[in-house]
Amino acid sequence: MRRPLFAGNWKLNLLKAGAIDLVSALRKGLEGEKRAEVLVCPTFTAIGAVAEAVKGSEIAVGGQDLYWQDSGAFTGEVSGPMLADLGCRYVIVGHSERRQFFGDTDETVGKKLRAAQKSGLEPIVCVGERLDERERGVMREVVGRQVDGALGGLTKDELKRLTVAYEPVWAIGTGKVASPEQAQEVHAFIRERLRGLSDETTAREVRILYGGSVNPENVRGLMEKPDVNGALVGGASLKAETFLKIVRS
Ligand code: PEP
């Protein structure tokens, strides 16, 4: 059974004190929660403090990005071993904001996810089409290329140690969520693609999260779909009460 994962992507928000307050409220609200796995991804500067604040709880901590080299002359970058050293279990790779503003490509996303796994981190690999691509009817082509481009060549064992997040760019931070049917269609397509890269059993084991304007009102409909195995949540993860409602859904 795939245990649903609810991941909060805090993006470039919260100083250390605010991050500790938020995660402490989540910790309190999640006591005894066993059905879902909960992950928070703070900014790099708050990861250490948040990891300390969740010690002894079931809340996992992750990075929002990483560089594929472990160390060296790469000013400004953070590597997999550094994230693992702080207590991270996960790392997001290929978020559309990284692709749009910081030049991430399917090739570098592939390098990053391999580096993450080498450091013992579980990558959450983001894919998703832009609005113009959906309108031009090339959604499958785009998402298929992103999946194959980043995940092609991985062994079955490596595929089982990652999570995919389908995040249609037009739904991120816009309040315009994909309908459960739209999400299911693409999730099933991604799973079919994973099957093509491995086999039925492997493809079935990979968790596929939906991300893009998830909130307490729309999460239930999405989670009812068979290939939606959790959510990657941006804006709504910055308030404990809202994120808790999403997890409890
Ligand atoms: C995200 O950035 O991964 C995201 C899904 O953002 P939001 O929930 O704010 O749309």
Side-chain angles (χ1 to χ4, degrees):
M1 270 295 278
R2 290 176 300 242
R3 190 173 172 215
L5 172 64
F6 292 91
N9 173 14
W10 294 356
K11 309 194 187 192
L12 186 58
N13 291 296
L14 299 176
L15 300 180
K16 225 164 57 175
I20 294 171
D21 283 352
L22 174 54
V23 83
S24 304
L26 292 178
R27 181 177 183 156
K28 204 161 160 239
L30 288 167
E31 261 167 35
E33 174 57 61
K34 296 269 179 240
R35 291 164 302 170
E37 191 178 350
V38 176
L39 162 69
V40 294
C41 299
T43 47
F44 288 137
T45 52
I47 287 176
V50 169
E52 199 56 44
V54 299
K55 256 191 195 146
S57 80
E58 298 244 350
I59 300 177
V61 181
Q64 296 176 14
D65 187 35
L66 82 166
Y67 190 57
W68 57 84
Q69 298 280 359
D70 288 353
S71 60
F74 304 104
T75 303
E77 293 297 325
V78 170
S79 69
M82 290 168 182
L83 293 176
D85 186 44
L86 284 179
C88 286
R89 205 185 304 163
Y90 288 89
V91 61
I92 299 171
V93 294
H95 190 280
S96 64
E97 286 150 17
R98 301 291 325 167
R99 293 179 191 256
Q100 188 181 349
F101 304 125
F102 303 100
D104 276 15
T105 61
D106 295 335
E107 192 195 341
T108 60
V109 171
K111 286 185 182 181
K112 287 179 179 192
L113 82 86
R114 284 164 176 81
Q117 289 192 327
K118 201 178 89 194
S119 313
L121 299 167
E122 177 162 337
I124 298 177
V125 184
C126 301
V127 298
E129 81 288 358
R130 298 191 311 260
L131 182 60
D132 63 299
E133 292 166 333
R134 177 166 277 262
E135 286 175 348
R136 277 190 287 124
V138 294
M139 176 272 286
R140 283 174 180 249
E141 211 175 307
V142 171
V143 174
R145 193 176 56 231
Q146 290 172 336
V147 171
D148 292 355
L151 274 47
L154 292 180
T155 64
K156 290 176 197 168
D157 196 48
E158 287 164 339
L159 280 170
K160 284 180 195 166
R161 289 189 289 114
L162 60 80
T163 294
V164 177
Y166 169 57
E167 298 211 304
V169 181
W170 47 270
I172 297 180
T174 59
K176 215 174 153 191
V177 66
S179 69
E181 292 69 32
Q182 283 174 320
Q184 171 57 27
E185 182 201 346
V186 188
H187 284 225
F189 169 71
I190 292 171
R191 207 174 296 288
E192 187 187 307
R193 215 70 186 202
L194 292 171
R195 206 173 295 129
L197 293 172
S198 56
D199 58 25
E200 178 69 34
T201 322
T202 308
R204 228 185 303 185
E205 277 186 40
V206 178
R207 277 189 297 207
I208 306 176
L209 312 182
Y210 168 79
S213 297
V214 170
N215 63 33
E217 285 72 50
N218 59 33
V219 66
R220 207 184 185 99
L222 290 158
M223 288 301 296
E224 275 167 4
K225 294 295 175 190
D227 286 299
V228 179
N229 313 124
L232 180 52
V233 186
S237 71
L238 288 170
K239 284 212 161 59
E241 199 189 319
T242 325
F243 192 51
L244 286 169
K245 275 189 192 158
I246 290 173
V247 175
R248 290 183 189 129
S249 70

